[in-house]
């Protein structure tokens, strides 16, 4: 098989500290400095990048939809001269976001209609999604919750913490709570600890996880103090969100190591995005880097039908082709489950390449990653007790 040379994105590169006019770089490692110095305006952007017309118009219109905010750390990964840069396209608005394509929705996963209490989405029998903030360190242009995050759109995220805790206390079927938002790690250690300790007091809640892109957008936030606090609430898992291998910098790897070393198992959720990670080579490089950082690739999402995302969506066959290029060819742990979050609120539905060639009551014919066919007989075809008895 042809193995191509590793791309420059395959290595762990430190892109920091960046060139930041008007600031000395001694504060680069402070997450507070990073948050205070986020790029949020057109003027800021143009200080650093050559923008194209589509981006300039997109930035001007983003204030009424999903705000723009980019941490200096993440901004630093952008290629300043290439409008197709895969980092840039994730966080810099484009005019295409104002396009309204048939089928697109403001709430593509039907979350608002599954909230028994403001902030709590209860779709599956045994687990809930608890939205605990509407702010993130930076905003992904394809955000499935853009209707409520960033504070720029018309809708606000209502959260009623007391009602939510009381719902969880009386709803004994819930054994798994997924904290998300917004980004939970944007809350202070004290605020987050308050929420975690309240949840841990509820005996039927076995499993807590945090969904966060902060390890990628703001690795400086993963302080030893935060890790020590989190490790008091085990079993605590984390789902991070990386889409492109360049995002896994030296600083990100170190942040992930700190989390792994305090015993937090991590999964990664990627969104399949056109021109960003929709090819097998890029995806494989990303998945391998995640394994090195002790992060297990969990889901690969077909991009939700969120309004204004048509320029970022790919065909379903692209995702299937990528998964097929991985299975058998690389470590099984590296392969995420491709899913569609069913439009309208059906939950996550797994999809994958077909390995079953034929199946009936007697046998199944399967193909392997090389296309070779194999037969596995069904047990009923093997068991014939009367033959054993010699009748
Ligand atoms: C994704 C999601 C979950 C968690 O699903 P898993 O498949 O267990 O990761 C729970 N609730 C909602 C509403 C979700 O969207």
């Amino acid at each position: 098989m042809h193995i191509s040379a590793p791309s420059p994105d395959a290595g762990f590169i430190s892109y920091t500290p960046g060139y930041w006019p008007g600031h000395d770089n001694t504060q680069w490692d402070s997450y507070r400095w990073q948050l205070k110095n986020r790029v949020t305006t057109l003027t800021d952007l143009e200080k650093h990048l050559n923008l194209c017309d589509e981006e300039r118009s997109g930035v001007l219109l983003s204030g009424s939809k999903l705000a723009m905010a980019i941490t200096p750390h993440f901004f630093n990964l952008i290629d300043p001269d290439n409008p197709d840069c895969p980092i840039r396209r994730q966080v810099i608005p484009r005019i295409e976001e104002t396009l309204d394509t048939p089928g697109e929705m403001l709430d593509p996963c039907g979350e608002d209609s599954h909230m028994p209490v403001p902030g709590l989405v209860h779709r599956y029998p045994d687990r809930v999604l608890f939205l605990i903030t509407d702010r993130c360190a930076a905003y992904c242009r394809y955000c499935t919750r853009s209707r409520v995050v960033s504070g720029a759109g018309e809708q606000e995220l209502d959260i009623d913490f007391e009602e939510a805790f009381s719902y969880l206390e009386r709803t004994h079927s819930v054994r798994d709570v997924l904290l998300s938002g917004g980004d939970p790690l944007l809350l202070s250690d004290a605020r987050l600890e308050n929420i975690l300790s309240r949840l841990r007091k509820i005996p039927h809640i076995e499993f807590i996880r945090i969904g966060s892109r902060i390890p990628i957008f703001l690795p400086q936030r993963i302080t030893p103090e935060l890790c020590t606090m989190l490790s008091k609430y085990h079993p605590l898992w984390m789902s991070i969100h990386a889409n492109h291998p360049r995002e896994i910098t030296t600083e990100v790897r170190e942040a992930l190591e700190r989390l792994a070393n305090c015993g937090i198992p991590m999964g990664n959720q990627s969104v399949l995005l056109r021109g960003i990670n929709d090819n097998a080579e890029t995806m494989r490089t990303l998945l391998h880097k995640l394994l090195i950082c002790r992060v297990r690739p969990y889901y690969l999402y077909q991009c939700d039908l969120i309004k204004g995302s048509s320029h970022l969506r790919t065909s379903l066959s692209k995702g299937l082709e990528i998964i097929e290029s991985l299975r058998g060819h690389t470590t099984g742990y590296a392969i995420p489950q491709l899913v569609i979050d069913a439009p309208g609120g059906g939950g996550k539905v797994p999809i994958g390449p077909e390995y079953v060639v034929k199946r009936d009551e007697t046998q199944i014919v399967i193909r392997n990653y090389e296309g070779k066919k194999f037969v596995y007989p069904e047990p009923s075809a093997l068991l014939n007790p009367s033959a054993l008895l010699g009748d």
Side-chain angles (χ1 to χ4, degrees):
M1 201 176 60
H2 170 74
I3 306 278
S4 47
S7 83
D9 286 324
F12 294 91
I13 297 168
S14 171
Y15 293 82
T16 59
Y19 169 66
W20 224 245
H23 291 281
D24 73 60
N25 281 322
T26 53
Q27 289 182 298
W28 187 268
D29 294 336
S30 148
Y31 73 84
R32 293 196 170 87
W33 182 90
Q34 289 277 336
L35 284 172
K36 214 160 68 208
N37 288 281
R38 291 188 296 178
V39 175
T40 56
T41 66
L42 186 59
T43 322
D44 281 351
L45 265 188
E46 298 209 289
K47 263 192 247 164
H48 302 274
L49 299 181
N50 294 315
L51 293 184
C52 62
D53 290 342
E54 290 80 359
E55 290 171 324
R56 205 169 294 113
S57 319
V59 175
L60 289 173
L61 286 163
S62 65
S64 57
K65 188 187 162 260
L66 173 70
M68 174 181 73
I70 312 165
T71 55
H73 166 84
F74 199 72
F75 194 89
N76 218 16
L77 314 183
I78 292 176
D79 176 342
D81 301 311
N82 176 12
D84 296 327
C85 163
I87 301 297
R88 177 169 180 152
R89 289 173 48 96
Q90 293 184 54
V91 287
I92 296 185
R94 291 178 65 94
I95 192 66
E96 291 93 321
E97 289 182 17
T98 58
L99 282 177
D100 233 336
T101 310
E104 288 182 346
M105 293 168 259
L106 275 171
D107 179 17
C109 303
E111 293 179 337
D112 292 343
S113 60
H114 285 81
M115 281 197 198
V117 166
L120 210 57
V121 185
H122 194 176
R123 177 187 332 283
Y124 298 108
D126 70 339
R127 56 208 191 279
V128 295
L129 173 65
F130 191 179
L131 307 176
I132 61 171
T133 170
D134 64 353
R135 298 304 150 100
C136 290
Y139 294 106
C140 308
R141 302 321 302 173
Y142 49 87
C143 177
T144 195
R145 240 163 257 138
S146 55
R147 70 189 185 285
V148 285
V149 301
S150 91
E154 283 165 30
Q155 203 177 327
E156 281 204 21
L157 179 65
D158 262 335
I159 312 169
D160 188 329
F161 283 96
E162 283 316 309
E163 265 303 303
F165 288 126
S166 140
Y167 179 86
L168 292 172
E169 278 157 9
R170 67 177 186 265
T171 311
H172 292 255
S173 58
V174 175
R175 43 160 287 285
D176 169 0
V177 176
L178 162 52
L179 298 177
S180 183
D183 199 313
L185 297 186
L186 213 51
L187 301 185
S188 69
D189 291 7
R191 184 85 191 84
L192 198 55
E193 175 153 29
N194 189 275
I195 294 170
L196 290 170
S197 61
R198 284 289 298 268
L199 293 174
R200 272 286 165 249
K201 286 201 188 89
I202 305 176
H204 51 271
I205 294 176
E206 301 167 352
F207 184 79
I208 301 176
R209 48 183 158 163
I210 295 176
S212 173
R213 204 176 185 187
I214 275 199
I216 306 298
F217 278 151
L218 186 63
Q220 297 81 3
R221 173 71 184 93
I222 310 301
T223 59
E225 297 74 34
L226 174 70
C227 295
T228 306
M229 184 279 282
L230 293 176
S231 62
K232 290 198 281 180
Y233 299 96
H234 277 315
L236 180 73
W237 292 48
M238 196 175 287
S239 291
I240 68 161
H241 173 180
N243 291 322
H244 188 277
R246 198 182 306 162
E247 294 167 32
I248 318 291
T249 65
T250 312
E251 292 73 21
V252 168
R253 186 186 60 195
E254 288 166 1
L256 295 172
E257 274 170 2
R258 288 194 287 280
L259 289 166
N261 287 346
C262 74
I264 300 180
M266 285 176 286
N268 180 65
Q269 317 197 84
S270 295
V271 179
L272 193 59
L273 296 165
R274 198 206 300 179
I276 293 172
N277 58 10
D278 61 341
N279 70 80
E281 199 62 39
T282 304
M283 194 53 80
R284 185 163 44 236
T285 306
L286 169 68
L287 301 171
H288 288 171
K289 286 181 85 169
L290 288 165
L291 286 192
I292 293 170
C293 298
R294 288 180 277 171
V295 178
R296 162 81 156 102
Y298 182 41
Y299 286 142
L300 173 61
Y301 289 92
Q302 186 67 22
C303 188
D304 288 336
L305 291 168
I306 184 74
K307 267 201 196 308
S309 66
S310 58
H311 59 301
L312 291 171
R313 295 205 304 272
T314 57
S315 67
L316 188 52
S317 54
K318 199 75 221 174
L320 291 169
E321 179 192 309
I322 291 174
I323 297 296
E324 186 156 5
S325 79
L326 297 167
R327 177 63 62 197
H329 297 280
T330 192
T331 316
Y333 275 126
I335 306 172
Q337 173 66 59
L338 180 63
V339 291
I340 297 180
D341 216 327
K348 297 172 185 76
V349 178
I351 43 175
E354 192 54 79
Y355 291 96
V356 176
V357 178
K358 200 161 96 321
R359 187 182 160 200
D360 60 30
E361 312 80 67
T362 62
Q363 62 177 35
I364 183 168
V365 184
I366 50 180
R367 69 169 178 94
N368 76 352
Y369 73 103
E370 301 162 306
K372 292 185 184 144
K373 293 198 179 103
F374 301 86
V375 176
Y376 182 91
E378 289 283 13
S380 60
L382 295 172
L383 290 175
N384 186 350
S386 55
L388 289 175
L389 294 169
D391 298 339

